[in-house]
Amino acid sequence: MNDLSASKSISALAGMLELARTQKLPFNDLFQFAESRSVAGLKAEAAEIYKSWIAFNEGHPFLHLVYFNYSVTLRQLGDIAGSIHALRACLKLDPKFGPAHINLGRAFEDAGIATQAIQQWRTLVELTSESTADRISHRLMALQHIGRVMENAGLLEEAETALWQAMELRPDKTEAGQHWSAVRQRLCTWPILASSDHVSKRQQIDSMSPLALACFSDDPLFQLARAYRYNKSFVGRPDISGFPRKAPKRKVGTGQRLRVGYVSSDLRDHAVGFALREVLELHDKESVEIYAYYCGDPAPNDATQARMKKAVDCWRDIAMLNDAEAARQIAGDDIDILIDVNGYTKSARTKIFAYRPAPVIVNFCGYPGSMGSPFHQYMITDGHIVPPENEIYYSEKVLRIACCQPIDRKRVIADTPSRAEAGLPEDAFVFACFNGMQKITEDTFAQWMKILVATPGSVLWLLSGNDSTDQRLRKIAESAGVAPERLIFAPKAPNARHLARIAVADLFLDTFPYGAHSTAADALTVGLPVLTFPGKSFAARFCHSIVAAAGIPDLICTDPEDYVEKAIGFAKDPASLGRVKQALKDARETSVLRDIPGLARRLEELLWQMQEECERGETPVPDLRNLDVYYDIGAELVLENTTFRDDAAYRQRYREKLSEWHDFSAIPHDNRLWTAPDA
């Protein structure tokens, strides 16, 4: 170390010692500083800062952890006696702290006192003697319940802590990990995955829900394989011996109506409910008979549900029925085609479909991806989201409507507020995103920061998360060179007022890999242009489908670089954005996005196509071949977390891995990427 470096090191240490003495050195900063000194070979400085902090922070709740780290540093310096003193102090504060017992025994062993080492470890064994399988199971259950309740109450940081404790206790149990990753996404705690000695990143990936995975990675093959695995664990193989497979009724060409059932927990004031309510009203009642099966929470005085009840032929509340009872109800209603509008979203009742209560089962509208199940035979989407070459990413047979995002043209929109009333500066260029916090990734936020740095007169308007999340994003923005006050957070507002206020922004910036769905349709409905770029997966292609359907394809970018460049260009040339807004306005009433009567007719055509295929015995069988192999390969590749990769490079990476696996153990060919040579 040269003289200048030594001087800086001494100065830094002196500053830290003063903070420790005045109790102004936070616990985390202490560890970070001491660790940096140890890594730099300055272990004596690390020991000195620990010793000083201990002397002046006697009442701190984590003092035992500081003693423990101090003991490790002393041991590295060869001071075994000092290390033993520190470990004994640690155990006085927390007699059940296992690592201190382990290290104290090792210190005695290294000092040549084997009997004392054994006694120390026996003490730990006795302390943990009550850790029976039942007790561990009960502790796990309690921690999971604590995490779940706190998550539902919006206490996300507390939920994350409880769920992490549950994960470390039993990392092979996926329930806690599933909620933990989702909570971290909502908190924008990056990186989302954070392994420890007890929980690996692979275990965290294995526990991710399909929806959380869609927010994490643009990998449609792995998402399909994850859905397949999730279905096996979430649904399993229920006893269907008392449920004979429903044979199709002959209806094609008979003049009889097709009986169609929609199953959802979201047939209420919810994004899915808003999307479907006009479609249900526009169904041709001479062609189809509509049954709605509601499995959500009671929704008294709910305007959307009231409209839907008037629109359908039969409304059934199945929330209080178990899965088998609900399946019997549906089978008893002689439903021809049953539509799953939940997929793997909150309050889904996926097991109902496993009983095959109808001859045809369809995945539509509620879930952005393949179900990967043996009983969902069709998926309805559009050609932008799933072009023909991407059908290999789905287990269902893909059928297409013009745009997969229905809207309600009757939605009530309040009067547009002024920018001041919306909490915005009058003269700024306002970039906005109203997607949930869980969709904002570290890479997306970095792109936004590039845009803001290049456009000094702009602000970014986001929906508020909680206070800690908002402040975290402001702090990250500041570290990227963006003044924190340029991030403006919108509080929650009633739907009609929210729709009105978003119109005062200049440009909506989409997220990746899980893009805007109903939020994009809302923005376009009130005249706010949406800038996006498509990926490969369903969730990463949805928004560009909506933008295309609105008639403004110029706002569909090719990749992240093009997205950043165009956003900057619009802010610097507002006139060019004005032309886009005019084009959006001109196309509004004639756009595909607002052709809901056409969507309803096309939907009915597809329903009758499915019925005809069923009557001919041609209902497709979901293709689930090799999905366990794709899962294991995808789990390796997703940890690379390459945010954006073009389709050719993506497929080549999988083929390379498939070839490696095949060399070790032969893989039978499939119709995805491991095709026969002559296929």
Side-chain angles (χ1 to χ4, degrees):
M1 182 184 299
N2 60 37
D3 291 343
L4 180 59
S5 297
S7 176
K8 287 183 177 179
S9 176
I10 293 169
S11 176
L13 176 62
M16 286 293 181
L17 289 172
E18 177 61 20
L19 290 173
R21 187 185 67 78
T22 56
Q23 298 184 351
K24 294 179 180 178
L25 180 57
F27 172 73
N28 290 335
D29 290 352
L30 165 69
F31 277 10
Q32 186 175 351
F33 178 81
E35 178 62 21
S36 69
R37 285 295 175 264
S38 289
V39 170
L42 303 172
K43 298 187 188 303
E45 289 192 11
E48 185 66 22
I49 189 66
Y50 279 134
K51 183 173 71 172
S52 182
W53 196 93
I54 288 168
F56 298 105
N57 292 268
E58 184 178 5
H60 197 281
F62 294 146
L63 182 59
H64 66 291
L65 296 179
V66 180
Y67 266 119
F68 180 78
N69 276 28
Y70 181 40
S71 75
V72 172
T73 304
L74 290 173
R75 185 64 185 278
Q76 291 169 345
L77 288 168
D79 185 358
I80 294 180
S83 179
I84 289 172
H85 281 302
L87 287 166
R88 282 175 170 159
C90 172
L91 288 170
K92 281 184 180 179
L93 293 167
D94 186 353
K96 295 184 179 181
F97 189 56
H101 284 284
I102 297 294
N103 281 15
L104 186 52
R106 285 175 175 167
F108 287 138
E109 181 184 18
D110 289 348
I113 315 173
T115 54
Q116 205 161 340
I118 292 169
Q119 182 56 48
Q120 191 65 47
W121 292 327
R122 279 180 173 166
T123 300
L124 178 58
V125 170
E126 290 167 5
L127 284 170
T128 57
S129 62
E130 294 187 354
S131 297
T132 62
D134 281 346
R135 287 180 183 272
I136 290 174
S137 177
H138 293 155
R139 178 176 171 80
L140 177 68
M141 191 179 302
L143 287 167
Q144 288 175 339
H145 285 321
I146 290 168
R148 174 180 53 79
V149 172
M150 285 182 165
E151 181 185 4
N152 290 339
L155 302 171
L156 300 184
E157 289 86 356
E158 295 86 346
E160 180 186 357
T161 299
L163 292 166
W164 179 256
Q165 291 173 339
M167 289 167 63
E168 290 221 300
L169 190 64
R170 287 293 304 272
D172 57 312
K173 298 290 188 180
T174 61
E175 181 179 346
Q178 176 179 326
H179 288 273
W180 179 81
S181 58
V183 165
R184 283 176 70 86
Q185 286 176 329
R186 289 172 64 189
L187 287 170
C188 296
T189 304
W190 304 320
I192 298 301
L193 304 185
S195 61
S196 73
D197 290 341
H198 307 291
V199 186
S200 69
K201 287 186 178 180
R202 171 60 191 265
Q203 287 171 320
Q204 292 170 11
I205 287 290
D206 288 342
S207 67
M208 264 192 177
S209 73
L211 271 179
L213 181 62
C215 293
F216 182 75
S217 175
D218 180 29
D219 188 335
L221 277 171
F222 185 56
Q223 287 170 20
L224 167 61
R226 179 73 190 106
Y228 166 72
R229 284 277 187 95
Y230 188 79
N231 186 275
K232 287 202 296 184
S233 62
F234 179 56
V235 176
R237 296 186 59 148
D239 180 7
I240 60 173
S241 57
F243 290 81
R245 195 68 61 88
K246 296 280 289 186
K249 292 184 176 295
R250 299 294 172 183
K251 292 195 171 180
V252 175
T254 66
Q256 297 181 71
R257 291 193 295 171
L258 193 63
R259 192 168 287 186
V260 178
Y262 287 85
V263 181
S264 178
S265 63
D266 299 326
L267 303 179
R268 53 186 172 83
D269 281 347
H270 179 277
V272 172
F274 297 150
L276 275 180
R277 58 190 179 188
E278 189 176 2
V279 173
L280 295 180
E281 291 170 340
L282 290 174
H283 268 312
D284 181 357
K285 296 304 177 62
E286 293 185 3
S287 175
V288 292
E289 185 179 3
I290 302 299
Y291 279 59
Y293 297 94
Y294 179 64
C295 56
D297 294 331
N301 304 316
D302 186 283
T304 295
Q305 195 163 100
R307 274 179 61 182
M308 288 181 164
K309 285 180 176 179
K310 289 181 181 179
V312 301
D313 295 277
C314 180
W315 178 278
R316 297 203 188 280
D317 193 325
I318 59 171
M320 301 307 293
L321 303 180
N322 65 35
D323 294 322
E325 291 168 344
R328 285 195 177 92
Q329 175 68 73
I330 294 166
D333 287 336
D334 284 330
I335 297 298
D336 299 302
I337 296 177
L338 190 64
I339 301 176
D340 182 355
V341 191
N342 265 125
Y344 298 127
T345 59
K346 186 177 181 181
S347 302
R349 298 285 298 276
T350 314
K351 189 177 284 190
I352 291 172
F353 302 92
Y355 292 102
R356 271 86 162 186
V360 175
I361 295 173
V362 185
N363 169 18
F364 172 58
C365 193
Y367 175 68
S370 178
M371 291 298 291
S373 90
F375 39 84
H376 287 80
Q377 301 137 336
Y378 293 93
M379 179 174 73
I380 298 175
T381 179
D382 66 50
H384 289 282
I385 297 172
V386 186
E389 64 272 18
N390 283 11
E391 290 182 9
I392 63 171
Y393 303 145
Y394 304 88
S395 59
E396 305 94 335
K397 180 175 179 178
V398 176
L399 299 179
R400 296 173 178 85
I401 53 181
C403 177
C404 201
Q405 176 63 54
I407 64 170
D408 177 16
R409 297 170 299 170
K410 302 176 185 177
R411 286 181 76 175
V412 176
I413 303 173
D415 293 334
T416 304
S418 68
R419 280 198 167 178
E421 290 170 333
L424 298 169
E426 292 288 351
D427 57 349
F429 188 94
V430 178
F431 294 107
C433 182
F434 305 107
N435 292 347
M437 285 287 181
Q438 73 277 9
K439 295 185 182 182
I440 303 175
T441 66
E442 188 171 10
D443 288 303
T444 290
F445 196 76
Q447 290 157 12
W448 291 348
M449 294 305 99
K450 287 181 183 177
I451 293 167
L452 292 184
V453 166
T455 55
S458 67
V459 297
L460 177 61
W461 193 24
L462 304 172
L463 280 181
S464 178
N466 61 15
D467 288 341
S468 63
T469 306
D470 295 351
Q471 292 309 312
R472 182 178 297 111
L473 292 180
R474 283 193 166 119
K475 188 174 181 180
I476 296 170
E478 189 171 21
S479 67
V482 174
E485 60 269 18
R486 291 177 64 192
L487 268 62
I488 299 172
F489 294 94
K492 289 184 178 180
N495 189 254
R497 281 175 46 204
H498 174 65
L499 285 173
R501 70 180 175 180
I502 65 180
V504 304
D506 290 301
L507 182 63
F508 186 112
L509 297 176
D510 194 21
T511 49
F512 185 89
Y514 199 129
H517 292 190
S518 59
T519 47
D522 290 346
L524 294 165
T525 294
V526 299
L528 175 62
V530 177
L531 192 70
T532 186
F533 63 92
K536 296 172 286 299
S537 59
F538 196 113
R541 296 184 64 83
F542 204 118
C543 186
H544 103 280
S545 168
I546 299 170
V547 173
I552 47 171
D554 288 348
L555 268 72
I556 301 171
C557 307
T558 55
D559 53 35
E561 291 74 23
D562 187 35
Y563 167 85
V564 170
E565 184 179 330
K566 281 188 175 176
I568 294 169
F570 282 130
K572 290 185 174 181
D573 182 13
S576 64
L577 186 60
R579 291 190 290 272
V580 171
K581 288 185 175 182
Q582 187 61 48
L584 177 60
K585 183 179 180 180
D586 292 344
R588 188 176 193 272
E589 296 307 322
T590 58
S591 70
V592 171
L593 183 61
R594 294 183 68 80
D595 185 12
I596 308 305
L599 185 151
R601 297 292 81 77
R602 175 59 179 162
L603 192 55
E604 289 153 11
E605 289 175 6
L606 294 180
L607 294 172
W608 276 105
Q609 177 185 331
M610 296 176 211
Q611 177 67 17
E612 189 171 349
E613 290 177 0
C614 186
E615 291 183 20
R616 293 199 307 260
E618 296 174 1
T619 298
V621 176
D623 184 359
L624 307 176
R625 286 174 294 173
N626 285 341
L627 289 185
D628 281 318
V629 175
Y630 282 102
Y631 182 89
D632 284 328
I633 291 174
E636 291 180 28
L637 297 181
V638 79
L639 288 173
E640 299 174 3
N641 202 20
T642 303
T643 305
F644 184 83
R645 180 182 282 153
D646 67 59
D647 202 58
Y650 167 78
R651 295 185 182 213
Q652 181 58 30
R653 192 81 177 91
Y654 262 92
R655 289 192 179 101
E656 290 168 358
K657 284 289 185 180
L658 285 162
S659 181
E660 291 175 14
W661 278 57
H662 182 70
D663 286 344
F664 178 76
S665 179
I667 303 172
H669 291 291
D670 57 51
N671 289 332
R672 292 191 168 88
L673 296 182
W674 194 242
T675 54
D678 56 349

